[in-house]
Amino acid sequence: MLAPGAAPDREGRPESQDGGVTADMAVAALERQVAADLERVLSRVDGVGAVRVRVALAGGLERQYASDRDVRRSTTEEKDRTGGTRVIDQVEEADKVVAVQGGANQQPVLTQVRQPEVLGVLVVAEGAGVPAVRAALVRAVHVALDVPYSRVEVLPGKPGKGGEAD
């Protein structure tokens, strides 16, 4: 997938209460970045001309961190005066994120970054009126983003306008 592995930068973007980029803004930034990467690739296809791309993602990058799981189990058997027995099983689980010393701070250990699902891709290109070019664009998007053909729409753009998809 063409999506970058790094989180979008925060320059010029409003911040949330805790100082981070809000989830919606991060998704929008990731959509723009994937679209820009795809535009660069598609514009190199012979006969395409000016191209614009719009990408819709189901969410942002999903990061998984290493964790240390502590499970404690205890069983207590109690007998009362009348001869009855009661068994109590207790299970306590605790997960702690594994961190390593990274300079002055501890950094969590990243184990996996999952790309979000692509909901749809819109490509507007000057050369998309030619069936062979249109087919090449659809195939290229399918391969680059691993998105089903049914989620890719390619439309011819107006010459000289750069095929605005915004």
Side-chain angles (χ1 to χ4, degrees), residues 31-32 34-35 38 53-57 118-122 145:
E31 287 173 340
R32 285 190 303 274
V34 170
L38 199 52
V53 176
R54 187 70 164 248
V55 177
L57 301 174
V118 177
L119 299 175
V121 179
L122 172 62
L145 299 180

Side-chain angles (χ1 to χ4, degrees), residues 31-111:
E31 287 173 340
R32 285 190 303 274
Q33 194 160 11
V34 170
D37 289 347
L38 199 52
E39 281 178 13
R40 280 191 289 280
V41 171
L42 297 179
S43 67
R44 300 189 53 88
V45 175
D46 188 37
V48 169
V51 63
R52 294 295 302 221
V53 176
R54 187 70 164 248
V55 177
L57 301 174
L61 296 172
E62 183 180 324
R63 291 173 176 83
Q64 278 191 316
Y65 297 95
S67 65
D68 187 14
R69 173 169 260 180
D70 184 25
V71 179
R72 294 179 189 198
R73 171 173 252 154
S74 66
T75 303
T76 306
E77 188 173 322
E78 297 176 349
K79 294 184 181 186
D80 62 20
R81 287 183 244 163
T82 61
T85 303
R86 180 172 68 169
V87 177
I88 301 171
D89 280 325
Q90 274 187 309
V91 178
E92 293 179 31
E93 296 182 24
D95 283 326
K96 182 179 177 185
V97 174
V98 177
V100 294
Q101 194 68 31
N105 299 327
Q106 287 193 342
Q107 300 293 322
V109 176
L110 184 64
T111 59

